Amino acid sequence: LAAVSAFGFDRLKQDDSSSPTLRVTFIQPSIPQTMIWNPSENTNRFRQLIQMTAQALTNETDLLLWPEAAVPKMIRYDEETLLAVTGLARSNHVWMIIGSDDAEPPRGGSKNSDDEDDFNASFLISPDGKIAKRYCKRHLVIFGEYVPLVRWLPFVKWLTPITGGFTPGDRPARFELDDLKVKTSVLICFEDIFPRLARESVEDDTDFLVNLTNDGWFGESAEQWQHAASAVFRAIENGVPLLRCCNNGVTCWVDSRGRLQQIFRDSTGTVYGSGVLSARIPVLAPGQQRP
């Protein structure tokens, strides 16, 4: 216990103030879950998200984050959505990491042309307006993103709020911001509470982890704080900052020693409202690796 405590205090004394920094803008739209489930609200909520983002980008930034479920349509298959997002990146010359559903033909092949694998995904958008990388969520939420045993017990799906199910991703993805010499990986939703998933996503030259989350399922409750508290350990275990961009809280960033550096609060002081958080995140110097 003495050795562990001494090691911990020594780590807390270390300072990242001399490290280069990355300007990051977090967008917290605070979209009610009922609106996310309502297709007729897609255009309205997406327009509000674009307007909020455009206003936030009046301040210079290197990386813009949108949370899980922020994009109402599949970005790769809806031209209007794709043009809106890529145009935003291109006109502001900014990298973006966003949450959006995705789909592709089944991995094992299918005789039915209507079959597809759906994914809860995140995308890296480059400053020249191109999709540079995709990550698909690997650890799905039971009864929220998939229904167990539904093939043998089909009636179970009627007991859940979802009408379909996602396919899990099969690997972590490395997001490289080439011109900035920055590398990151994304964890979606509650993936940031699992040590193994975070560990598989971090390499020696990873600058930080990003978590995109929609905890709007739980309204304004203690769950947002419980989720954030669990996520802190992923920063400590891997020695990297953790950036959390959430739909309705807790949007924040944690340094590589587990210290909560900034938390978004709206004008009323609550963490659940909509707004913008700007931060400077310490990153590795070119050629540097984490100990």
Side-chain angles (χ1 to χ4, degrees):
L1 288 176
V4 169
S5 298
F7 174 77
F9 281 115
D10 181 65
R11 290 281 290 168
L12 289 172
K13 289 178 183 178
Q14 298 176 21
D15 189 7
D16 291 329
S17 59
S18 61
S19 300
T21 59
L22 187 77
R23 298 169 298 185
V24 180
T25 298
F26 304 68
I27 303 295
Q28 180 168 302
S30 193
I31 306 166
Q33 193 65 29
T34 52
M35 186 179 291
I36 290 176
W37 282 333
N38 187 352
S40 65
E41 291 287 347
N42 285 348
T43 300
N44 182 44
R45 72 178 178 93
F46 189 58
R47 184 187 301 116
Q48 292 176 2
L49 177 64
I50 292 290
Q51 291 173 348
M52 183 187 303
T53 301
Q55 185 175 359
L57 288 175
T58 56
N59 296 319
E60 290 189 6
T61 191
D62 300 307
L63 173 63
L64 177 80
L65 302 179
W66 282 354
E68 177 191 21
V71 180
K73 297 181 180 179
M74 292 186 185
I75 186 172
R76 289 205 300 159
Y77 300 103
D78 186 83
E79 185 176 4
E80 184 177 356
T81 301
L82 178 63
L83 291 175
V85 174
T86 56
L88 199 61
R90 190 165 48 248
S91 61
N92 292 277
H93 196 70
V94 63
W95 289 91
M96 298 176 66
I97 298 178
I98 64 173
S100 172
D101 291 352
D102 198 31
E104 61 186 28
R107 293 171 186 158
S110 173
K111 296 180 180 179
N112 187 345
S113 60
D114 294 330
D115 285 349
E116 63 181 18
D117 285 342
D118 295 319
F119 301 96
N120 183 352
S122 64
F123 290 88
L124 175 66
I125 311 296
S126 68
D128 59 0
K130 296 180 179 178
I131 295 177
K133 194 79 172 183
R134 180 190 72 166
Y135 168 68
C136 296
K137 185 179 180 183
R138 291 175 286 161
H139 200 116
L140 302 177
V141 178
I142 188 170
F143 294 115
E145 293 174 319
Y146 76 99
V147 180
L149 305 178
V150 69
R151 181 180 301 177
W152 299 278
L153 302 173
F155 68 89
V156 175
K157 67 182 179 181
W158 302 111
L159 305 178
T160 75
I162 63 174
T163 56
F166 287 117
T167 299
D170 57 3
R171 64 178 67 90
R174 183 182 178 91
F175 284 10
E176 299 189 26
L177 286 59
D178 298 324
D179 59 330
L180 301 175
K181 302 295 189 290
V182 168
K183 300 178 178 67
T184 184
S185 293
V186 176
L187 300 168
I188 298 176
C189 192
F190 80 144
E191 286 188 324
D192 64 351
I193 71 171
F194 295 100
R196 175 182 59 83
L197 296 179
R199 186 167 57 250
E200 292 172 352
S201 300
V202 174
E203 299 181 13
D204 290 341
D205 58 350
T206 298
D207 291 279
F208 52 83
L209 284 169
V210 171
N211 175 239
L212 306 183
T213 288
N214 171 29
D215 284 341
W217 297 75
F218 302 93
E220 298 180 3
S221 69
E223 187 278 340
Q224 282 83 353
W225 288 104
Q226 293 163 350
H227 189 173
S230 297
V232 167
F233 291 93
R234 307 296 82 78
I236 300 169
E237 292 159 357
N238 295 283
V240 295
L242 172 64
L243 285 55
R244 303 188 73 248
C245 184
C246 308
N247 175 34
N248 72 333
V250 176
T251 292
C252 61
W253 76 275
V254 183
D255 72 14
S256 59
R257 279 84 179 176
R259 293 170 293 206
L260 203 55
Q261 293 291 342
Q262 288 176 259
I263 299 175
F264 167 76
R265 295 182 185 273
D266 66 13
S267 57
T268 67
T270 179
V271 299
Y272 306 108
S274 63
V276 177
L277 174 67
S278 298
R280 282 188 173 270
I281 308 301
V283 296
L284 297 171
Q288 181 184 3
Q289 292 187 341
R290 297 203 174 272

